[in-house]
Amino acid sequence: MALKKNDEINGREESLSEKKAKEVFSRREGKEKKILTTFSIEPTFKEQLEVVFDDMGLGWAAGIRFALKEFYRKYADN
């Protein structure tokens, strides 16, 4: 059973994360569309990475993207 989209969100104000998500995903100015990827990681290692990313002011997804870009920059020449 499909649900009908309700444009009015029960009269409540959007949260900051909802506004940011709409801003990020509504931009189409020459940027590539993002794709969802999945991988497995040990919970303790994920917690360690979350602490590092938090210290850098990054969330989980932004931290992973940053780490992958840095890895690529470091090893792309080899």
Side-chain angles (χ1 to χ4, degrees):
M1 177 177 175
L3 296 176
K4 188 175 180 180
K5 181 181 176 186
N6 186 358
D7 291 331
E8 188 178 313
I9 307 173
N10 298 332
R12 69 175 178 85
E13 198 172 305
E14 288 182 332
S15 70
L16 181 59
S17 60
E18 288 172 326
K19 289 177 185 176
K20 182 66 177 173
K22 284 183 180 179
E23 177 186 325
V24 167
F25 291 110
S26 66
R27 282 190 244 152
R28 298 286 183 238
E29 304 161 359
K31 282 196 163 195
E32 287 185 88
K33 187 175 180 182
K34 295 194 181 344
I35 60 170
L36 177 65
T37 60
T38 59
F39 60 94
S40 298
I41 188 171
E42 294 89 0
T44 53
F45 184 55
K46 182 177 186 271
E47 290 170 4
Q48 292 170 345
L49 289 175
E50 286 175 323
V51 170
V52 171
F53 296 155
D54 188 49
D55 290 345
M56 297 170 67
L58 301 171
W60 172 252
I64 292 296
R65 285 191 297 270
F66 173 79
L68 289 171
K69 286 177 186 174
E70 287 299 309
F71 180 85
Y72 180 78
R73 284 186 201 137
K74 184 174 182 178
Y75 294 104
D77 296 333
N78 295 343

